[in-house]
Amino acid sequence: MGDIISAVDGGIMRLRLNRPAKKNAITRAMYEDLTAALDRAGADDNVRAVVITAEGGDFCAGNDILDFAQGVGDFQSVPLDDLPVFRFLRALTFFEKPLVAGVQGQAVGIGVTLLLHCDLAVAADDVRLSLPFLKLGLVPEAGSTLLLPQRIGHARAFAWMALGEAMGAEEAHRLGLVNAVVDGSALSQTADDLASKLVRLSPSSLAHTKRLMRDPEALWQVVRAEGEIFRQQLQSPEAAAAFMAFLNR
Ligand code: COA
């Protein structure tokens, strides 16, 4: 089994992060696999919704910091749109079919910001959502500088990104970051049940509604603008020190 598992059944593509020993931290290869899976899902008329979940006790510890450090040179030499992470973010931003996520345990960085691109999200009651970008000397990504204030208000969004510790399930539900909180044992089934309801709806109605609610072109401009600054910030002494601190723990 690879680090990304995908399977299609009953109109649903189930995408599962499958690297539990590393808390499903995402490598460049995993971003490539996720992009390819979303492209396949988009092109396949039999797929009418995608469910994203993760193996093990944690949803996703964010970018794999070791893989990221190894690829840091690419951020300076490769055009932004060709980087695996940006190819994934583009696929996510322009994805026209409904996306449903089920999250549990630790959800860090992209493990949180990708939820803002999902149309429905369910959390296990043990979820801990955190956004460490500023602590790492970076800037928030994946359009979250737009999507997060839109979702939870500017004051809360800034405080969470700049000062905040991990957010629990109850608060995430209260703020509208997730639609429901369930026991961890019911997470995958609940996400599946929601997706099963969506596959009964008109695909064109869903695609239009997503586009009207999200304005992907405008969002993509924000994702790229964040990316350009993220790229600069990667060269900052604070970012280098934060990565070294994690790698030398
Ligand atoms: N990149 C690479 N490896 C990671 C990782 C990441 N983002 N997050 C966790 N891991 C690895 C750990 O190195 C460890 O590997 P090992 O067993 O081979 O030593 C394994 O996953 C388990 O993680 P560990 O840190 O021991 O678990 P924990 O429960 O003590 O802490 C976290 C969990 C998520 C709080 C902690 O791992 C963490 O802070 N990770 C980094 C999060 C981050 O900053 N992500 C980048 C966002 S851009």
Side-chain angles (χ1 to χ4, degrees), residues 3-217:
D3 291 341
I4 301 292
I5 301 172
S6 70
V8 177
D9 183 37
I12 301 171
M13 177 181 274
R14 293 176 188 78
L15 271 180
R16 202 153 170 91
L17 308 181
N18 183 38
R19 202 177 170 229
K22 298 288 182 184
K23 298 192 179 279
N24 297 309
I26 306 183
T27 60
R28 286 168 290 174
M30 290 164 75
Y31 282 122
E32 295 284 19
D33 287 353
L34 287 167
T35 306
L38 286 181
D39 288 349
R40 282 198 309 278
D44 183 348
D45 288 343
N46 293 318
V47 175
R48 296 174 69 159
V50 172
V51 174
I52 304 176
T53 57
E55 198 57 40
D58 298 281
F59 179 64
C60 173
N63 272 306
D64 183 292
I65 293 179
L66 179 58
D67 182 73
F68 197 72
Q70 286 164 351
V72 107
D74 292 353
F75 261 87
Q76 311 309 329
S77 59
V78 174
L80 206 62
D81 291 354
D82 295 338
L83 292 168
V85 59
F86 280 88
R87 284 164 37 74
F88 169 64
L89 292 177
R90 189 179 169 85
L92 198 59
T93 301
F94 288 97
F95 195 65
E96 292 192 332
K97 299 180 182 181
L99 284 165
V100 179
V103 296
Q104 78 280 17
Q106 297 284 350
V108 185
I110 186 78
V112 174
T113 55
L114 85 75
L115 298 182
L116 301 169
H117 293 259
C118 292
D119 303 292
L120 293 170
V122 192
D125 51 15
D126 69 345
V127 85
R128 306 290 298 161
L129 304 161
S130 52
L131 294 171
F133 301 109
L134 274 83
K135 283 186 203 153
L136 296 172
L138 301 172
V139 289
E141 39 66 300
S144 59
T145 58
L146 175 72
L147 296 174
L148 193 61
Q150 262 178 5
R151 186 77 70 94
I152 70 173
H154 182 103
R156 288 194 200 97
F158 185 85
W160 188 22
M161 293 193 289
L163 309 172
E165 296 304 320
M167 184 187 293
E170 205 175 297
E171 191 177 2
H173 187 218
R174 186 168 52 76
L175 296 180
L177 287 163
V178 298
N179 297 84
V181 177
V182 297
D183 186 82
S185 60
L187 186 66
S188 295
Q189 189 60 54
T190 309
D192 243 56
D193 291 346
L194 288 171
S196 302
K197 291 182 181 164
L198 299 179
V199 303
R200 291 185 215 128
L201 300 173
S202 149
S204 59
S205 296
L206 279 165
H208 283 305
T209 304
K210 269 193 83 143
R211 176 162 277 277
L212 287 162
M213 288 179 76
R214 288 186 175 275
D215 191 358
E217 283 81 11

